[in-house]
Amino acid sequence: MVKQTIQIFARVKPTVRKQQQGIYSIDEDEKLIPSLEIILPRDLADGFVNNKRESYKFKFQRIFDQDANQETIFENIAKPVAESVLAGYNGTIFAYGQTGSGKTFTITGGAERYSDRGIIPRTLSYIFEQSQKDSSKIYTTHISYLEIYNECGYDLLDPRHEASSLEDLPKVTILEDPDQNIHLKNLSLHQATTEEEALNLLFLGDTNRMIAETPMNQASTRSHCIFTIHLSSKEPGSATVRHAKLHLVDLAGSERVAKTGVGGLLLTEAKYINLSLHYLEQVIIALSEKHRLHIPYRNSMMTSVLRDSLGGNCMTTMIATLSLEKRNIDESISTCRFAQRVALIKNEAVLNEEIDPRLMIIRLQKEIQELKDELAIVTGEQRTEALTEAELLQLEKLITSFLEDQDPESRLEVGADMRKIHHCFHHLKKLLHDKKIHEKSTVSSEIKDQNCQEPLKEEEYKKLRDILQQRDNEINILVNMLKKEKKKAQDALHLSSMDRNEFRHSQSSPFPPGNPEGPRTLPSSAPTQVHDSSAVGYRSSLLHRKTEMREEMSLGRQEAFEIFKRDHADSVTIEDNKQILKQRFSEAKALGENINEARSKIGRLKEEITQRHLQQVALGISENMAVPSVPDLQEEKLRSQLEEEKKRYKTMFTHLKALKVEIEHLQLLMDKAKVKLQKEFEAWWAEEATSLQVDTPAVKSLNLTKPFHQTPESLHERPQLLSNKSDVNARKILPSPCPITYSQEQNSTSASLDDSIPKRPTSSIPLTGDSQTDSDILAFIKARQNILQKKCFQ
Ligand code: ADP
Ligand code: MG
């Protein structure tokens, strides 16, 4: 690390006129620090701002008088900085002074003579020369050239920089990373492998700057230019890279606005220049003051860019350019004062070294290979990445014997092979993990066992056994019933399909088998499909339920049901609906026939038209005549007929669809009424049976064999009731036509029942006591049937 204050130098520009005596003097005593004394002429001193002092003394590192040539300036000012840059430190040389004081001449050089070359070309030359001389390092040079005008940055080396003004260019902006490093976005970096290439870049930038400059926009005096040489160096084979930057800065004129005395745009520019320099001054003041925590670098672009150069990691040098003429005395004093402050700033330049990760990888890979080779020599065996099968097997054996060994002193010896050591650890970890899992499952099963083993109370055990037995029985019964239901559902399905076929045969389907317009025009709910659709499924399920329930009934009950149904008020509605349904069916049948007729007529007409077309074409070919353009009257007639038929067909089809809806609706209504009837009959049946039990205990035993209670009254009323359908009282005193014993019923129905169903003993099924069970079973059957029916029709 190199700690030093910013080096300040003064350079006095040669005066065009004969040197004015007595304005300044340079004291260059070798023992003392050189100083520049500016002596105020009498007339000026009277009106000078500060006081009436006649002379001002400023100390500099070195003062270059008018006769100092470019070579001297380079040798004394730039060369030491260039050397430190070559060593890997950052460096900055900036020229500060009023316009025309020689900043550009010093930094870049004069445009006329080769000997007038300034610091930039000389430094470039020096750097390339030195880097070529130094074979111990590999150097890489990149160049960037930034111009800051009115607080905006422009890339003077931008390849698109053919613009007539700076404003046409993309702006260079400042980015700050989390480590507070400054990055310049849009500033291009150009590699220069030779001095020539680097000089070309300098000239390209200067030319661009010149092109962009207009009389109204004298950028050269009102803008700051920063020419940067980015130098990287590394020793061959080393992963350490040194990066150093050398900023060569040509600042804008430091003259004050008051003196410029201009208005409008120029005033704005002057303000900016001064603003920019003002911020530079502020930063310098802040840096020169001890214990100052905040340094306002961010206030301007220039101070941001030169952040490292001022009070940071940089060896910085300032050249105060002075044009010591009588009229420039105040500006010269101002420049010198500025330099004095700058001289107070302490910088700490450090070597900017970093590890190149790419090179580091290569180096480490090389090192690994070398170590491997060394190992192979020592062990006498070549090692691969993975262990061989044999090695793995051997290791596992070793681990097993190690684990089984009861001796606490036993050791697992695998040798100094990291791969084997790692494998052992891995294997042991796996074993441990597996053991944990095993233990967990064992513990949980033990807990379960314990729970199970807990002795049950005798009472609870009996209860559970009973429940189990009960469930077993229930399952058996239900399985048998399901078997029975399945068979019945299939039978019903068979029956209903037979019915449908019968109906179709007898009435010759009222629905048209197809659509003459083609199958695509048929609606999805075409009448032909109605019977096989879900509506049928739903209907037959209801119908089936009805028949099922009747089959379930004893003969006596069946008979009673028939009478109940006949005398029920709803039976009238059912009957009426039946009639309407019949009517609708015949209507549909007639309509279907008409539709079929219309369809075949449409087909015929189409055929006729096609034939006619063919005939005409054939005629045209045989007689070598063109097809007549005059419309064919016959064909037109056929076409209008066709249209007519199509219309008729459509109307009828629509009507048939409406009929279909009505029929379906009626069928559903009927089914619903029938189910209702059945339900009401069941309720009545149960009611009757209960009242029989309660009212006549004497005949209670008879109930086992007689489903109906017979009274002389009922017997007497029976013929009347049978003849009078509308008598509502009939339901209450419905008699059985003839007493039927349960055994009789069983015998009569047993033939139709599934043989697999165990016959319930007569005595164990008291009819009245069973009514609840019966209705439960019925509900169950209904539910099952629904499911079975749905499955059947899917
Ligand atoms: P600035 O950049 O500070 O405005 P310049 O470098 O453009 O000033 O100098 C203004 C004029 O003075 C230029 O024509 C330049 O050639 C000339 N000049 C400046 N310094 C010297 C010097 N040391 N020797 C000879 N000519 C100089
Ligand atoms: Mg200049």
Side-chain angles (χ1 to χ4, degrees):
M1 193 205 292
V2 180
K3 274 190 182 184
Q4 64 166 51
T5 53
I6 295 180
Q7 306 288 294
I8 55 163
F9 296 91
R11 185 183 195 186
V12 183
K13 182 194 154 187
T15 47
V16 182
R17 280 171 284 168
K18 202 185 163 199
Q19 194 177 340
Q20 291 181 347
Q21 291 292 323
I23 286 183
Y24 75 98
S25 71
I26 297 163
D27 187 1
E28 265 195 318
D29 192 326
E30 278 187 10
K31 288 172 192 166
L32 295 165
I33 299 166
S35 64
L36 173 73
E37 190 179 13
I38 298 173
I39 302 136
L40 285 172
R42 284 251 166 242
D43 51 334
L44 265 177
D46 290 338
F48 201 63
V49 274
N50 287 333
N51 46 49
K52 293 198 174 179
R53 274 172 57 185
E54 287 182 359
S55 71
Y56 295 85
K57 261 193 174 179
F58 301 102
K59 286 180 176 153
F60 287 93
Q61 195 81 27
R62 198 164 163 186
I63 301 151
F64 297 95
D65 207 351
Q66 297 183 32
D67 54 356
N69 60 24
Q70 297 286 66
E71 177 66 20
T72 310
I73 298 292
F74 170 74
E75 284 291 327
N76 290 280
I77 300 171
K79 199 174 169 183
V81 180
E83 272 167 1
S84 63
V85 169
L86 281 164
Y89 295 97
N90 290 335
T92 298
I93 300 171
F94 67 92
Y96 182 95
Q98 69 180 106
T99 299
S101 61
K103 298 181 297 292
T104 307
F105 185 84
T106 304
I107 297 294
T108 312
E112 289 164 25
R113 289 182 297 260
Y114 181 71
S115 59
D116 283 347
R117 284 176 301 144
I119 288 172
I120 296 174
R122 285 174 194 270
T123 307
L124 283 173
S125 177
Y126 182 75
I127 285 172
F128 277 101
E129 190 189 301
Q130 292 303 309
S131 60
Q132 275 159 16
K133 268 189 203 169
D134 186 3
S135 57
S136 68
K137 282 181 192 143
I138 301 158
Y139 293 89
T140 317
T141 312
H142 286 87
I143 305 293
S144 70
Y145 205 173
L146 170 73
E147 180 164 12
I148 299 168
Y149 179 70
N150 281 359
E151 276 302 300
C152 286
Y154 302 96
D155 183 7
L156 287 172
L157 300 181
D158 188 283
R160 293 161 293 178
H161 196 241
E162 286 166 8
S164 56
S165 72
L166 285 174
E167 285 80 2
D168 293 344
L169 292 166
K171 287 175 184 173
V172 175
T173 47
I174 290 172
L175 295 174
E176 197 174 328
D177 68 19
D179 298 329
Q180 295 191 322
N181 294 314
I182 297 292
H183 302 275
L184 296 166
K185 197 183 163 193
N186 287 339
L187 182 68
S188 58
L189 271 182
H190 301 260
Q191 192 174 359
T193 49
T194 58
E195 184 192 341
E196 199 187 350
E197 277 177 27
L199 276 174
N200 280 337
L201 289 165
L202 169 69
F203 278 87
L204 173 72
D206 279 341
T207 312
N208 284 333
R209 189 186 185 192
M210 193 178 65
I211 291 165
E213 192 182 52
T214 61
M216 283 299 287
N217 166 26
Q218 294 178 345
S220 62
T221 60
R222 301 175 197 282
S223 68
H224 314 281
C225 272
I226 305 170
F227 183 90
T228 310
I229 304 164
H230 307 253
L231 193 73
S232 304
S233 64
K234 73 172 189 75
E235 284 170 19
S238 165
T240 311
V241 186
R242 283 179 184 173
H243 298 284
K245 279 188 278 187
L246 174 57
H247 295 303
L248 299 168
V249 188
D250 183 0
L251 291 174
S254 62
E255 56 276 7
R256 310 282 135 167
V257 182
K259 196 176 179 190
T260 314
V262 286
L265 182 69
L266 284 175
L267 181 65
T268 316
E269 285 174 352
K271 268 185 192 165
Y272 268 115
I273 296 159
N274 283 288
L275 200 66
S276 188
L277 288 173
H278 169 72
Y279 286 128
L280 177 66
E281 207 171 325
Q282 277 196 337
V283 165
I284 283 157
I285 290 167
L287 286 165
S288 60
E289 284 174 8
K290 277 183 183 173
H291 313 300
R292 180 79 178 255
L293 291 172
H294 177 69
I295 310 296
Y297 290 111
R298 285 198 187 92
N299 282 354
S300 85
M301 187 170 192
M302 228 233 335
T303 48
S304 299
V305 175
L306 295 180
R307 187 175 177 154
D308 259 351
S309 313
L310 307 163
N313 171 26
C314 192
M315 297 175 86
T316 304
T317 298
M318 173 190 165
I319 304 170
T321 54
L322 303 161
S323 176
L324 286 167
E325 288 183 35
K326 196 182 168 186
R327 61 190 168 99
N328 293 329
I329 289 290
D330 50 351
E331 285 296 343
S332 299
I333 290 169
S334 170
T335 301
C336 289
R337 277 184 183 149
F338 181 81
Q340 302 305 295
R341 283 198 206 101
V342 169
L344 298 171
I345 298 167
K346 279 180 188 152
N347 280 1
E348 287 182 13
V350 290
L351 280 174
N352 305 297
E353 284 183 331
E354 66 176 43
I355 306 293
D356 184 337
R358 200 169 43 88
L359 290 170
M360 197 64 176
I361 290 165
I362 295 167
R363 213 177 74 180
L364 288 172
Q365 278 174 340
K366 202 179 156 199
E367 202 176 311
I368 288 166
Q369 192 51 52
E370 280 170 5
L371 286 167
K372 274 183 181 172
D373 293 344
E374 218 171 291
L375 204 65
I377 293 162
V378 173
T379 57
E381 57 183 62
Q382 203 74 37
R383 272 181 196 170
T384 52
E385 284 285 306
L387 291 162
T388 62
E389 280 295 315
E391 281 174 324
L392 287 171
L393 211 70
Q394 200 197 348
L395 276 178
E396 268 152 45
K397 268 185 196 166
L398 275 171
I399 293 164
T400 316
S401 59
F402 169 71
L403 290 172
E404 281 167 0
D405 196 343
Q406 297 300 315
D407 182 9
E409 296 293 310
S410 70
R411 288 171 70 173
L412 182 60
E413 302 280 3
V414 290
D417 187 340
M418 280 318 286
R419 298 168 308 158
K420 288 183 180 174
I421 292 165
H422 283 309
H423 179 79
C424 285
F425 276 120
H426 183 75
H427 194 78
L428 284 166
K429 191 179 175 181
K430 196 176 167 285
L431 287 175
L432 200 73
H433 184 71
D434 291 351
K435 195 170 173 273
K436 268 185 192 166
I437 290 172
H438 178 70
E439 274 172 3
K440 247 186 207 172
S441 62
T442 321
V443 167
S444 64
S445 66
E446 271 171 15
I447 290 166
K448 268 186 207 165
D449 288 350
Q450 277 173 9
N451 287 343
C452 290
Q453 282 160 10
E454 211 167 278
L456 282 169
K457 286 178 188 168
E458 185 58 31
E459 208 179 306
E460 265 179 282
Y461 178 71
K462 195 177 173 290
K463 206 173 161 187
L464 285 169
R465 203 176 52 188
D466 287 350
I467 291 168
L468 201 70
Q469 183 61 45
Q470 215 174 319
R471 293 284 173 270
D472 261 354
N473 291 341
E474 277 173 16
I475 289 163
N476 279 335
I477 293 164
L478 291 173
V479 165
N480 288 328
M481 282 175 74
L482 277 172
K483 277 181 188 171
K484 202 173 137 191
E485 296 322 312
K486 197 178 169 187
K487 193 178 176 288
K488 280 171 186 169
Q490 280 167 351
D491 289 350
L493 194 68
H494 181 66
L495 212 76
S496 68
S497 69
M498 267 172 59
D499 282 348
R500 281 202 302 277
N501 289 341
E502 222 172 276
F503 183 78
R504 275 184 196 152
H505 284 301
S506 62
Q507 303 199 14
S508 85
S509 175
F511 306 112
N515 189 331
E517 294 293 310
R520 278 183 191 186
T521 57
L522 262 177
S524 58
S525 57
T528 42
Q529 294 163 7
V530 167
H531 290 292
D532 300 316
S533 71
S534 58
V536 176
Y538 174 66
R539 272 200 60 241
S540 62
S541 84
L542 285 172
L543 284 167
H544 187 78
R545 233 180 276 168
K546 187 189 74 182
T547 50
E548 174 66 24
M549 282 163 88
R550 284 190 62 187
E551 273 176 35
E552 196 61 25
M553 283 189 256
S554 65
L555 281 176
R557 270 172 92 172
Q558 275 185 42
E559 203 167 330
F561 178 67
E562 284 305 320
I563 298 160
F564 183 87
K565 189 173 78 177
R566 189 193 62 199
D567 295 341
H568 197 280
D570 283 355
S571 66
V572 183
T573 325
I574 293 168
E575 201 54 42
D576 285 353
N577 278 340
K578 225 181 203 173
Q579 290 305 316
I580 298 167
L581 197 63
K582 223 176 174 180
Q583 208 181 315
R584 292 289 173 269
F585 260 115
S586 49
E587 271 177 47
K589 185 193 162 194
L591 205 59
E593 277 166 3
N594 289 342
I595 285 172
N596 280 341
E597 207 181 287
R599 199 183 55 160
S600 45
K601 202 171 178 185
I602 288 165
R604 277 201 309 276
L605 285 165
K606 275 185 174 174
E607 182 62 24
E608 240 177 282
I609 291 165
T610 320
Q611 284 300 321
R612 217 173 151 72
H613 266 226
L614 284 170
Q615 274 172 16
Q616 278 181 344
V617 171
L619 200 75
I621 292 164
S622 64
E623 294 183 11
N624 208 13
M625 275 163 61
V627 180
S629 56
V630 191
D632 180 4
L633 283 173
Q634 184 62 28
E635 193 187 315
E636 268 185 20
K637 200 182 161 191
L638 283 170
R639 282 198 183 280
S640 68
Q641 269 180 12
L642 182 71
E643 286 307 307
E644 201 62 37
E645 273 314 306
K646 274 185 183 174
K647 245 187 238 171
R648 210 167 77 90
Y649 176 88
K650 268 184 190 167
T651 320
M652 286 191 295
F653 197 82
T654 318
H655 191 188
L656 189 64
K657 264 171 84 180
L659 263 181
K660 178 205 132 196
V661 175
E662 196 184 338
I663 288 166
E664 272 178 9
H665 189 82
L666 283 169
Q667 282 172 330
L668 287 170
L669 277 178
M670 277 172 71
D671 287 344
K672 209 173 135 191
K674 281 172 190 169
V675 173
K676 190 188 163 215
L677 198 71
Q678 183 91 37
K679 211 180 140 196
E680 279 179 11
F681 168 74
E682 292 302 328
W684 171 80
W685 180 266
E687 197 187 311
E688 283 299 304
T690 319
S691 66
L692 266 176
Q693 271 185 319
V694 174
D695 296 344
T696 48
V699 288
K700 201 177 176 183
S701 59
L702 281 172
N703 284 336
L704 294 171
T705 50
K706 291 179 183 175
F708 292 101
H709 167 61
Q710 286 179 318
T711 58
E713 194 190 353
S714 67
L715 277 169
H716 171 73
E717 281 180 8
R718 192 182 156 237
Q720 191 198 341
L721 285 168
L722 288 169
S723 60
N724 186 6
K725 286 177 194 172
S726 59
D727 191 348
V728 283
N729 292 323
R731 262 172 274 172
K732 285 182 183 170
I733 43 167
L734 254 179
S736 171
C738 59
I740 303 163
T741 59
Y742 182 77
S743 55
Q744 274 179 320
E745 178 215 356
Q746 176 133 2
N747 291 337
S748 64
T749 54
S750 62
S752 65
L753 288 172
D754 193 334
D755 290 338
S756 65
I757 301 172
K759 304 290 180 286
R760 286 184 290 184
T762 314
S763 59
S764 70
I765 309 169
L767 197 67
T768 47
D770 248 9
S771 64
Q772 186 55 48
T773 319
D774 277 356
S775 66
D776 284 352
I777 291 168
L778 276 171
F780 170 76
I781 288 165
K782 279 178 199 172
R784 286 304 308 165
Q785 266 182 331
N786 266 339
I787 296 160
L788 285 169
Q789 288 293 333
K790 272 178 196 165
K791 279 183 181 169
C792 286
F793 287 99
Q794 261 170 8

